[in-house]
């Protein structure tokens, strides 16, 4: 069951010329401590060796992209770029794409999505260590930092210019990006009929895979509480059973 408020994103990738699998089997793999959470992989293919190869490709892509987006690794590309100031810096196509997507979502959400929120997160983490709430003045100052203009992009030349000193986090968008790229890596063989990746609630589905997704009710605390909705996802049809709106 997906935990309350986990970001659940489902993308269907279809191909009209999938390799004909007469006896495709379902193989499942589980990993912990992947991007700080759990990873579930489902591979649909004809044999275990092909499934394990797809799993290996997905894990390698996750590791590669973590070296770009991690804020916990001081040597990641994002961490190193955050140390620059005021100069156009050449960045990878992946980082440039996610920064551009962050701009679009910040505008589309009216500022509800904001990578600068890391400034506020740090205030609250420090408050938790001290076991006391931050002052209104501290929160106001952090909010002001969060809402500054943090970068300028030159997509044509592949550069990003850091404009603020506010700490940034792309965790709210990068995990979905990584999940999508890892799924594509898993599918990058004619031996694979379908695949599903679920990294802490960020989910992608491609090809011939069927999955029943139970979405937890945020009002219920019991692990075995009835789900608020059930979605049966497959490449052939998308069936939803939803309760009345509340």
């Amino acid at each position: 069951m997906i935990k309350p408020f986990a970001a659940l994103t489902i993308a269907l990738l279809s191909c009209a010329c999938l390799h004909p699998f007469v006896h495709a089997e379902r193989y499942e793999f589980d990993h912990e401590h992947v991007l700080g959470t759990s990873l579930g992989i489902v591979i649909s293919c004809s044999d275990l060796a092909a499934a394990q190869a797809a799993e290996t490709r997905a894990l390698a892509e996750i590791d590669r992209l973590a070296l770009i987006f991690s804020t916990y690794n001081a040597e990641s590309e994002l961490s190193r770029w955050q140390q620059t100031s005021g100069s156009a810096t050449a960045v990878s196509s992946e980082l440039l794409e996610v920064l551009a997507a962050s701009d679009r979502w910040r505008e589309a959400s009216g500022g509800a999505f904001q990578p600068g929120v890391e400034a506020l997160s740090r205030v609250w983490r420090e408050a938790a260590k001290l076991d006391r709430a931050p002052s209104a003045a501290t929160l106001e100052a952090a909010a002001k930092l969060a809402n500054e203009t943090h970068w300028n992009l030159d997509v044509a030349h592949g550069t990003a210019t850091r404009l603020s000193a506010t700490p940034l986090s792309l965790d709210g968008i990068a995990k979905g990006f990584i999940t999508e790229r890892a799924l594509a890596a898993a599918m990058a063989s004619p031996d694979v009929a379908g695949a599903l990746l679920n990294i802490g609630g960020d989910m992608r589905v491609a090809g011939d895979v069927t999955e029943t997704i139970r979405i937890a009710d945020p009002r219920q605390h019991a692990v075995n509480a009835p789900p608020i909705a059930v979605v049966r996802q497959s490449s052939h049809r998308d069936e939803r059973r939803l309760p009345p709106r509340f």
Side-chain angles (χ1 to χ4, degrees):
M1 180 179 290
I2 296 174
K3 295 182 179 180
F5 305 114
L8 174 62
T9 314
I10 302 172
L12 289 178
L13 309 174
S14 60
C15 177
C17 54
L18 283 174
H19 182 79
F21 291 87
V22 179
H23 300 294
E25 299 287 341
R26 178 187 174 100
Y27 297 92
E28 299 185 9
F29 306 92
D30 294 298
H31 298 270
E32 296 297 328
H33 311 297
V34 176
L35 302 182
T37 185
S38 59
L39 164 65
I41 303 176
V42 177
I43 304 293
S44 176
C45 61
S46 58
D47 60 71
L48 177 60
Q52 290 175 328
E55 176 198 23
T56 298
R57 289 193 300 273
L59 291 171
E61 183 67 353
I62 291 169
D63 288 343
R64 183 183 76 84
L65 293 172
L67 289 175
I68 295 176
F69 296 109
S70 174
T71 54
Y72 298 95
N73 181 353
E75 296 304 314
S76 73
E77 183 181 6
L78 177 60
S79 294
R80 287 184 285 108
W81 174 73
Q82 288 204 64
Q83 299 306 310
T84 66
S85 177
S87 59
T89 304
V91 296
S92 66
S93 60
E94 293 90 350
L95 180 54
L96 190 67
E97 183 175 344
V98 171
L99 288 172
S102 296
D103 281 338
R104 293 194 299 273
W105 281 108
R106 187 183 66 251
E107 293 175 7
S109 67
F113 174 79
Q114 170 57 269
V117 76
E118 177 65 14
L120 282 160
S121 297
R122 292 189 180 187
V123 166
W124 281 105
R125 285 197 293 269
E126 184 62 25
K129 291 179 183 178
L130 299 174
D131 195 26
R132 65 172 183 241
S135 68
T138 299
L139 290 173
E140 184 178 354
K144 184 177 180 180
L145 291 174
N147 288 300
E148 291 181 340
T149 300
H150 304 298
W151 62 70
N152 181 61
L153 304 181
D154 185 340
V155 176
H157 294 91
T159 63
T161 303
R162 185 89 153 93
L163 300 178
S164 77
T166 303
L168 305 173
S169 172
L170 298 176
D171 292 353
I173 191 170
K175 187 153 68 74
F177 178 86
I178 293 172
T179 306
E180 192 166 285
R181 291 297 182 91
L183 176 71
M187 291 291 295
S189 168
D191 295 328
V192 177
L196 177 150
L197 265 72
N198 181 356
I199 305 181
D202 281 277
M203 183 178 291
R204 297 292 188 277
V205 182
D208 187 16
V209 170
T210 299
E211 186 75 7
T212 299
I213 303 162
R214 296 172 176 83
I215 301 173
D217 186 343
R219 300 167 299 183
Q220 303 294 328
H221 300 293
V223 174
N224 61 348
I228 196 171
V230 176
V231 179
R232 187 173 184 271
Q233 186 67 59
S234 77
S235 60
H236 305 296
R237 63 178 181 269
D238 181 4
E239 301 174 353
R240 293 177 172 85
R241 291 194 289 111
L242 303 175
R245 294 180 64 87
F246 60 89

